[in-house]
Amino acid sequence: MLTIMKKPWYRLLHWQIIIGMILGVLFGVTAASQGWSGWTKDWVSPFGALFIKMLKLIAVPLVLTSLVTGVASLSDVKKLSRMGGKTIGLYIGTTAVAVLIGLLLVNALKPGKNLPEDTRTQLQQAHQTDATTRQSAAKQVQERGKLDFIVDIVPDNFFSSASSNNNMLQVVFVSLLLGVGLTMTPNKQSQPVLNVFDGLMEAVIQIVHLIMRLAPIGVFGLMANTIVTLAQDDLGQVKDLLNALGFYCIVVVSGLAVHCFVIYPILLKLFTNIPYRRFFSGISSAQLLAFSTSSSGATLPVTMDRCQKRLGVSEEVTSFVLPLGATINMDGTALYQAVASVFIAQALGMDLTLAAQATIVLTAVLASIGTAAVPGAGIIMLVIILEAINVPSEGIALILGVDRILDMMRTVTNVTGDATVATVIAASENQLNFPPETPTS
Ligand code: ASP
């Protein structure tokens, strides 16, 4: 009889990542208080940067190979458009709910009303330059045509789209097209091509596993770097910031927690057979990476791997739903943008009408679709929301100091949302095989 040996806890990947994170934070705090920030940036941060680069390196090959093989094996191309419709509907629906939760909390708790006048002036002065940089980045987005975001999905040259991780939607588009093309090609010609993609995909998955072994060291470097960048040899500065903006942070984090621990479990309960505890432990490595990298794009290879191996979502669904989600589904970002915009209005003494709040719902849903899956992208799109409701966008200076911390939290929600939708879609298409046959660590 087969006996399954349980690994001791310290050999499980998610515990190793947690230990790496805790040690990274402790090291960062020590470095900031001892004036070792420069040394840390030179000798510790590069390990984090290397890890992120490896994850990003593997994202395009993973999406390309798994989507081509996934689509080419589809018996029925109509199924693809049905899945596409459901996926986009769920992504938009969950994002709208996230915005509403954010708005409810920020209007009820009013964190901006408590901000003393002198703290406001100090924050505004300290982050003025950074705020201006974000405003000009937002201006570039605003200057684009209304339908450019659709035009942008189609590349005019595949190699140029595959050469930038920010063009993931273009890679998805080309992979779909190639997959469909292959299904229309006679078997004799398509099979060798598919065999190559299949072999490449397997190799890429093995590389993802290799990279994940480095995760504990990578997150150590990332966390240490985040702390010294925030504190810059002065830990007191972080304490002051948290004192001034603590209530605002609590409101954002509570909203994210409600969305993660109430809304997603409801969806899982209604549409799948996965108990929410098993769901969360299944994707915990992806969540921890989202937290330490602040990038759902960099986390994508791990999210795909976990959904397939730990939750039993089919390859076809993971390879279609998750890359799309990493680019267009950002529940955490949208919730944060709703709270942040009302917070800034409250702090500046402005009362937002119901119409302005409705504009927030619409623009936050659209803005989160257009937000890149990289650190700090959410605050650039926030400028656009503020302008839509006539709140001065210089106001982002008030919250820039704590943006990185909240970015880590909202990215976890973004990734959890993608995994939830992938699971629900898989269940609705009869492609959820939970518990999977051979779960890996
Ligand atoms: N960092 C977020 C992500 O990658 C985007 C943002 O809200 O800034 O999902």
Side-chain angles (χ1 to χ4, degrees):
M1 208 176 84
L2 189 73
T3 46
I4 298 175
M5 294 267 292
K6 244 188 129 184
K7 282 187 188 172
W9 68 271
Y10 55 85
R11 294 204 43 211
L12 294 173
L13 186 65
H14 62 272
W15 280 112
Q16 292 183 347
I17 299 179
I18 290 175
I19 294 171
M21 264 165 80
I22 295 173
L23 291 179
V25 171
L26 291 178
F27 184 87
V29 170
T30 317
S33 58
Q34 300 296 319
W36 305 340
S37 292
W39 190 89
T40 307
K41 290 232 167 233
D42 283 344
W43 297 99
V44 178
S45 310
F47 290 97
L50 267 176
F51 177 61
I52 293 212
K53 280 181 103 171
M54 297 225 265
L55 282 172
K56 287 186 177 167
L57 172 71
I58 212 69
V60 169
L62 180 64
V63 172
L64 179 69
T65 53
S66 58
L67 206 49
V68 170
T69 40
V71 173
S73 65
L74 271 182
S75 44
D76 170 11
V77 179
K78 250 199 245 142
K79 198 160 119 194
L80 193 69
S81 50
R82 189 181 64 215
M83 223 161 76
K86 278 198 282 195
T87 306
I88 292 175
L90 257 178
Y91 277 155
I92 294 182
T94 46
T95 308
V97 172
V99 177
L100 289 176
I101 294 176
L103 280 181
L104 268 176
L105 284 177
V106 72
N107 282 302
L109 301 172
K110 301 194 180 7
K113 295 270 187 231
N114 290 343
L115 202 67
E117 177 78 39
D118 50 341
T119 316
R120 204 177 78 195
T121 326
Q122 265 173 18
L123 286 170
Q124 222 143 12
Q125 278 164 358
H127 296 280
Q128 198 47 57
T129 335
D130 280 351
T132 317
T133 322
R134 305 305 200 284
Q135 279 173 302
S136 47
K139 203 159 187 62
Q140 283 177 7
V141 179
Q142 276 170 316
E143 275 162 7
R144 300 168 47 75
K146 297 278 178 275
L147 287 182
D148 276 8
F149 74 100
I150 295 181
V151 176
D152 279 352
I153 296 177
V154 183
D156 51 12
N157 181 317
F158 172 64
F159 292 99
S160 72
S161 55
S163 66
S164 158
N165 284 46
N166 293 340
N167 289 339
M168 203 51 96
L169 270 190
Q170 296 188 347
V171 177
V172 169
F173 179 80
V174 176
S175 316
L176 285 177
L177 213 58
L178 184 57
V180 171
L182 282 168
T183 55
M184 296 159 71
T185 307
N187 227 1
K188 194 164 151 253
Q189 281 126 324
S190 62
Q191 202 50 52
V193 182
L194 279 175
N195 288 346
V196 171
F197 272 98
D198 210 29
L200 275 176
M201 185 186 68
E202 249 335 288
V204 170
I205 290 174
Q206 295 308 327
I207 298 174
V208 172
H209 292 163
L210 274 183
I211 298 174
M212 283 307 284
R213 291 210 204 156
L214 301 177
I217 301 173
V219 296
F220 173 84
L222 287 168
M223 293 311 293
N225 181 59
T226 305
I227 304 272
V228 294
T229 311
L230 267 176
Q232 284 159 355
D233 283 339
D234 180 10
L235 269 181
Q237 192 185 310
V238 179
K239 231 178 85 196
D240 290 347
L241 258 179
L242 287 179
N243 271 343
L245 296 172
F247 191 25
Y248 156 71
C249 292
I250 290 174
V251 175
V252 175
V253 175
S254 317
L256 295 176
V258 170
H259 200 60
C260 266
F261 299 116
V262 179
I263 305 298
Y264 295 146
I266 291 179
L267 284 176
L268 290 170
K269 176 120 196 113
L270 287 179
F271 299 106
T272 76
N273 64 340
I274 306 186
Y276 72 94
R277 279 171 198 271
R278 298 281 298 275
F279 172 82
F280 281 108
S281 76
I283 60 159
S284 57
S285 308
Q287 290 174 315
L288 291 166
L289 279 195
F291 183 80
S292 34
T293 60
S294 286
S295 164
S296 24
T299 313
L300 178 64
V302 182
T303 321
M304 289 173 73
D305 184 70
R306 296 288 109 162
C307 282
Q308 266 186 50
K309 300 270 158 49
R310 297 292 299 268
L311 303 178
V313 178
S314 73
E315 180 198 311
E316 191 182 302
V317 172
T318 24
S319 59
F320 176 68
V321 177
L322 290 173
L324 201 68
T327 343
I328 69 165
N329 181 49
M330 301 215 175
D331 296 356
T333 301
L335 190 150
Y336 149 85
Q337 286 167 334
V339 177
S341 49
V342 178
F343 170 81
I344 293 170
Q346 288 171 349
L348 299 178
M350 300 170 72
D351 272 327
L352 292 179
T353 58
L354 211 60
Q357 309 246 4
T359 311
I360 295 180
V361 178
L362 202 70
T363 43
V365 172
L366 289 177
S368 78
I369 294 175
T371 304
V374 296
I379 202 155
I380 295 177
M381 301 306 269
L382 178 62
V383 170
I384 297 175
I385 300 176
L386 289 175
E387 289 183 358
I389 53 171
N390 296 323
V391 171
S393 57
E394 295 77 32
I396 59 166
L398 294 178
I399 54 167
L400 263 170
V402 287
D403 189 58
R404 178 66 195 208
I405 303 173
L406 296 180
D407 196 0
M408 296 160 98
M409 314 269 188
R410 62 188 190 242
T411 309
V412 174
T413 311
N414 292 345
V415 167
T416 311
D418 297 343
T420 307
V421 171
T423 317
V424 170
I425 298 287
S428 76
E429 291 287 326
N430 241 334
Q431 296 196 43
L432 183 66
N433 177 23
F434 184 82
E437 277 144 30
T438 48
T440 51
S441 78

